[in-house]
Amino acid sequence: MSSPEPIVRFVGIGKTYDGVARIVDNLDLDIMRGEFLTLLGPSGSGKTTTLMLLAGFETPTAGEILLEGKPLSRVPPYQRNIGMVFQNYALFPHMTIAENIGFPLSVRGVPAAEIAKRVERALDMVQLGGFGKRRPGQLSGGQQQRIAVARALVFEPKLILMDEPLGALDKQLREQMQLEIRRLHQRLGVTMAYVTHDQAEALTMSDRIAVFHRGRIEQLDTPERMYEYPTNAFVARFIGENNRLDGHLETAANGRCAIRVAATDTLIDGTLVETVGIGDAVSVSLRPERVQIRAAGHTIDAQPGCRLAGSLREIIYLGDHVRARVALTGNEEFMVKRPISEAHTLPHIGAAVEVFWTPEHCRAFAQEH
Ligand code: ADP
Ligand code: MG
């Protein structure tokens, strides 16, 4: 197999509208050929702007974008050969579905007979063969979005950009479309740059995820690494569920550290993920599923420095797992998530308990500011 090569390179890309606020801030990003890359981040973090710069609807104020090694700065949008799908799928209401899908081809001067053939194929790809003669208004939201996907595929671009394409759909349809787009990507081998603010969607669909925050990438990683090994407090908080404890760094050596937890005034051991000075403020993140719970005095298997005392406040059954809500000494809220097979081993509500973990799952970061 050939080693992966970038199809797109953002090199020192900056974008400001007013000369002050850096909407995209010195961005370096390689999109690898054939991958499904998701830009994930809160609203206003610069995801759409980044796609618009790549599509050519906005111009960078610094840096250069390369597509297949060639600078894009002088290539107008329609010559970039990039397919696009947006949240408001914006089909032309007065045109038939076939005319909508054929539009990118007719503006490129493709002959009518060829258009008909390729429209048919694109409709089949999104499992809407036979819908060509209808109008957008006669289709459901999900079907219209599939048509928008077909329209982006029809001129066989090497690169497709999607900006929150499923945002307007209800949960069930959204999850179905996520898998459909993922399968389409695998079948066609096209490169996908996908924007969402939904971390579950990003984890489900992507080969890699770039977490955006204030116009910068906080972390670029596979879904699994992003979830298990966040490299800073922002990513830890943004992806998945977390127990967060604030405190100060007391000692650090060889990646391990001891943190004095402010609320409980106890020392706990963790893995130091970022460079932080002794005495500096840190926040610790512990995934609920990486924590165990026992009645107080029964945590014989826990390492010292990897447990905290509290009282069990609530047990919530969720069919496939059970959640235990604990109030730590000092009144800090703590959530524990266990498989349903352990439900019968949980202490009773009101019991004095200890929560415990192993140090590699206790990750210490510099506090967000
Ligand atoms: P996201 O897609 O992550 O929600 P955007 O890229 O749309 O973020 O926007 C990032 C920031 O840029 C926002 O604060 C937004 O208000 C600002 N912004 C976007 N477009 C313009 C524009 N045309 N003029 C001025 N500010 C803009
Ligand atoms: Mg956006």
Side-chain angles (χ1 to χ4, degrees), residues 40-186:
L40 170 70
S43 170
S45 56
K47 309 179 298 292
T48 294
T49 305
T50 301
L51 276 202
M52 289 298 141
L53 293 168
L54 179 52
F57 298 129
E58 293 289 355
T59 313
T61 40
E64 181 66 86
I65 305 174
L66 308 175
L67 179 61
E68 304 195 289
K70 294 184 200 75
L72 275 181
S73 43
R74 267 172 229 88
V75 185
Y78 61 91
Q79 282 176 5
R80 294 189 182 192
N81 243 15
I82 297 174
M84 268 168 285
V85 182
F86 301 103
Q87 174 165 350
N88 48 344
Y89 12 89
L91 300 178
F92 303 114
H94 58 285
M95 289 186 191
T96 65
I97 295 304
E99 286 163 348
N100 264 284
I101 297 175
F103 186 75
L105 298 176
S106 51
V107 297
R108 285 173 172 79
V110 176
E114 175 71 15
I115 292 180
K117 241 184 0 215
R118 285 166 71 170
V119 166
E120 206 53 41
R121 215 161 54 213
L123 275 170
D124 285 340
M125 266 192 275
V126 296
Q127 281 142 32
L128 286 174
F131 278 66
K133 291 206 167 62
R134 302 198 197 180
R135 289 188 194 272
Q138 296 169 294
L139 269 56
S140 71
Q143 289 171 330
Q144 289 188 47
Q145 194 53 313
R146 283 199 215 153
I147 297 302
V149 172
R151 188 174 57 181
L153 293 171
V154 75
F155 59 99
E156 293 166 14
K158 291 186 190 121
L159 174 63
I160 297 184
L161 313 183
M162 296 195 179
D163 193 355
E164 313 241 5
L166 310 180
L169 307 180
D170 64 43
K171 184 171 151 55
Q172 202 181 343
L173 193 52
R174 200 162 67 229
E175 286 172 357
Q176 186 192 327
M177 285 291 293
Q178 285 169 4
L179 297 179
E180 243 173 70
I181 291 175
R182 175 94 189 130
R183 265 183 237 124
L184 213 50
H185 166 258
Q186 283 161 350

Side-chain angles (χ1 to χ4, degrees), residues 234-249:
F234 178 81
V235 174
R237 177 167 62 80
F238 196 71
I239 309 248
E241 199 185 346
N242 268 290
N243 291 297
R244 174 181 158 169
L245 299 167
D246 288 341
H248 291 87
L249 188 65

